[in-house]
């Protein structure tokens, strides 16, 4: 069987992004698929050496080749990137139209790849929606208002629709379904590619600050990103014995204020410069402590982080803000959820009180709930493969 897996590894070439999309491709390879990775966003790429987006994709192309080679030799031999000028790059460029037409699955992760005519022949075009709130309130309605952008087909031209918002359609979830049948899909992790290292002292996370730039307004509600939630827990370093660290990038995070409150603050780009850097940062952490985007929390979406599943797979306990996932994931050992600062403090103290038990449980949660064979196997069955 053949599959096209899309992503944005060259578009935003940092280590965490490479793992996010790469584990879909590697997971399908593990299930017996011949996989070609495709990136065709129709837009600019980011160059972290210059700190800016532009039409020059040279840095992203080098990063993509290296990232796929680190995941799998066969992925390194089958990939295609379409630049803004329409030029095709990569060892799979010449045959991408034929490969897509003969594929059993076209997996459009995050919906970042445009649906061009040459991709439509695949009988199972699957959209994996990974950013609930931004997509349901902003991105998808925008697509509906301007169908045919760049001569392509919109998001509704997919055959199947999956989302990380596991609560969509359930009572209490405020996300609109937009007339589509959404199926839940958790972020997959290839568990055996993550290994526990001797744990460091600090609980860490990697995040982007204020990446909406302005709040989302929808039907009288206002939604933000992590800046609307982090201030609720920013005093925790003064209240718990465990050191807390945040690796952050984005729009003007208040680094000095956090340092004054006891946080260790690192650059997200520095710890995620390559996939190996990102993996090492996760594996050397004591665990993850993080808030979620306000829009995920306020809509009770049930979203869960593709970053957190890597911590779990590396036997790192995860203490994260509940978006509604506590209703269907096993919380309490290895994975601990909080809704208030008091619950966050109690969860950290609980994890520290029996750290070895929570370490073991974390990897068990990763395998049972997010293992790529289970997650992607269930998706394949749902689409008839």
């Amino acid at each position: 069987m053949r599959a096209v897996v899309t992503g944005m590894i060259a578009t935003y070439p940092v280590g965490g992004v490479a793992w996010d999309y790469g584990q879909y491709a590697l997971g399908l390879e593990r299930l017996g698929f011949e996989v070609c990775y495709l990136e065709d966003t129709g837009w600019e790429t980011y160059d972290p050496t210059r700190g800016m987006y532009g039409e020059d994709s040279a840095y992203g192309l080098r990063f993509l080749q290296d990232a796929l080679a680190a995941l799998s030799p066969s992925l390194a031999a089958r990939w295609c990137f379409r630049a803004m000028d329409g030029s095709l790059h990569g060892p799979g460029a010449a045959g991408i139209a034929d490969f897509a037409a003969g594929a059993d699955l076209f997996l459009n992760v995050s919906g970042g790849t445009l649906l061009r005519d040459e991709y439509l022949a695949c009988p199972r075009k699957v959209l994996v929606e990974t950013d609930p709130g931004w997509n349901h309130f902003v991105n998808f309605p925008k697509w509906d208002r301007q169908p045919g952008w760049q001569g392509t087909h919109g998001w509704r031209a997919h055959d199947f629709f999956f989302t990380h918002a596991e609560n969509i359609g359930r009572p209490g979830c405020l996300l609109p379904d937009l007339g589509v049948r959404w199926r839940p899909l958790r972020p997959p992790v290839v568990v055996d590619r993550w290994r526990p290292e001797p744990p460091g002292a600090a609980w860490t996370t990697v995040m982007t600050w204020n990446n909406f730039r302005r709040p989302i307004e929808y039907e009288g509600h206002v939604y933000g990103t992590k800046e609307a939630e982090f201030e609720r827990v920013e005093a925790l370093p003064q209240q718990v014995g465990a050191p807390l660290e945040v690796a952050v990038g984005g729009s003007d995070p208040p680094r000095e204020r956090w340092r004054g409150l006891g946080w260790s603050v690192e650059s997200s780009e520095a710890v995620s410069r390559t996939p190996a850097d990102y993996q090492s940062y996760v594996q050397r952490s004591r665990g993850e402590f993080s808030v979620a985007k306000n829009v995920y929390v306020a809509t009770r979406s049930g979203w869960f982080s593709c970053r957190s599943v890597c911590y779990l797979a590396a036997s790192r306990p995860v203490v994260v803000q509940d978006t509604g996932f506590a209703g269907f994931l096993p919380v309490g050992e290895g994975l601990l959820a909080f809704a208030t600062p008091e619950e966050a403090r109690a969860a950290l103290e609980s994890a520290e009180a029996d750290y070895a038990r929570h370490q073991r449980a974390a990897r068990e949660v990763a395998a049972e709930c997010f293992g790529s064979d289970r997650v992607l196997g269930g998706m394949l069955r749902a689409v008839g493969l």
Side-chain angles (χ1 to χ4, degrees):
M1 291 187 291
R2 289 184 167 188
V4 175
V5 175
T6 79
M8 292 187 282
I9 298 173
T11 300
Y12 195 67
V14 297
V17 172
W19 282 107
D20 293 348
Y21 296 106
Q23 292 187 104
Y24 284 92
L26 183 58
L28 284 174
E29 276 202 341
R30 296 284 185 89
L31 291 173
F33 279 80
E34 181 183 352
V35 176
C36 181
Y37 175 84
L38 170 66
E39 194 158 340
D40 182 2
T41 69
W43 199 239
E44 300 172 335
T45 62
Y46 182 70
D47 184 341
T49 64
R50 297 186 296 162
M52 59 187 297
Y53 282 89
E55 295 187 26
D56 183 357
S57 55
Y59 182 96
L61 286 170
R62 291 193 299 271
F63 183 94
L64 175 60
Q65 174 65 52
D66 292 344
L68 293 178
L71 285 171
S72 161
S74 51
L75 287 175
R78 278 194 302 271
W79 61 269
C80 174
F81 175 86
R82 186 191 294 261
M84 279 191 72
D85 63 5
S87 60
L88 297 177
H89 305 264
I96 186 59
D98 290 339
F99 191 98
D104 301 280
L105 176 71
F106 188 97
L107 191 63
N108 198 355
V109 185
S110 298
T113 283
L114 301 173
L115 279 184
R116 302 184 187 275
D117 289 344
E118 55 263 43
Y119 309 148
L120 290 184
C122 179
R124 297 174 187 86
K125 296 174 289 297
V126 176
L127 173 65
V128 179
E129 189 281 310
T130 61
D131 194 3
W134 177 256
N135 283 327
H136 294 82
F137 297 145
V138 179
N139 204 31
F140 291 154
K142 180 181 178 181
W143 268 102
D144 286 342
R145 291 192 299 270
Q146 53 178 31
W149 183 64
Q150 294 198 23
T152 64
H153 306 270
W155 69 280
R156 294 182 184 272
H158 294 86
D159 303 299
F160 300 91
F161 301 85
F162 290 81
T163 178
H164 286 352
E166 195 157 346
N167 278 335
I168 195 167
R170 297 180 179 180
C173 180
L174 301 182
L175 293 171
D177 64 19
L178 303 175
V180 165
R181 181 193 175 189
W182 295 100
R183 305 166 193 251
L185 188 74
R186 296 170 185 170
V189 63
V190 182
V191 176
D192 65 14
R193 292 300 296 267
W194 298 84
R195 65 186 188 278
E197 296 182 25
W203 293 73
T204 70
T205 194
V206 184
M207 72 177 183
T208 302
W209 188 251
N210 199 23
N211 55 341
F212 285 174
R213 300 303 175 95
R214 64 177 185 272
I216 297 171
E217 297 184 20
Y218 183 84
E219 293 187 351
H221 295 276
V222 178
Y223 303 104
T225 56
K226 291 188 176 181
E227 81 288 346
E229 299 293 336
F230 194 83
E231 64 180 12
R232 301 176 60 206
V233 300
E234 64 179 9
L236 273 179
Q238 300 171 338
Q239 302 168 5
V240 297
L244 301 178
E245 178 173 292
V246 57
V248 63
S251 180
D252 299 321
R255 295 181 176 91
E256 292 309 313
R257 187 176 83 228
W258 293 342
R259 290 188 177 107
L261 291 168
W263 292 85
S264 173
V265 182
E266 299 291 339
S267 161
S268 61
E269 287 189 355
V271 306
S272 192
R273 197 172 305 280
T274 68
D277 290 338
Y278 179 84
Q279 184 174 43
S280 180
Y281 185 74
V282 168
Q283 292 177 164
R284 289 183 293 104
S285 298
R286 188 158 184 82
E288 184 184 28
F289 175 79
S290 184
V291 297
K293 289 181 182 178
N294 168 259
V295 68
Y296 300 158
V297 177
T299 59
R300 305 304 294 163
S301 63
W303 172 92
F304 196 82
S305 168
C306 54
R307 178 193 60 255
S308 296
V309 302
C310 298
Y311 277 87
L312 290 169
S315 296
R316 294 295 168 258
V318 167
V319 176
V320 286
Q321 190 174 15
D322 185 19
T323 64
F325 65 76
F328 50 81
L329 289 177
V331 297
E333 292 190 6
L335 170 60
L336 299 95
F338 67 86
T340 67
E342 294 75 21
E343 290 177 358
R345 183 174 65 249
L348 284 167
E349 291 172 348
S350 173
E352 286 287 352
D354 195 347
Y355 184 74
R357 175 170 62 90
H358 286 282
Q359 271 191 296
R360 293 190 297 271
R363 195 167 176 91
E364 292 171 3
V365 171
E368 292 297 318
C369 299
F370 302 102
S372 60
D373 53 345
R374 291 176 179 261
V375 170
L376 297 176
M379 181 269 294
L380 293 171
R381 289 190 293 273
V383 303
L385 287 174

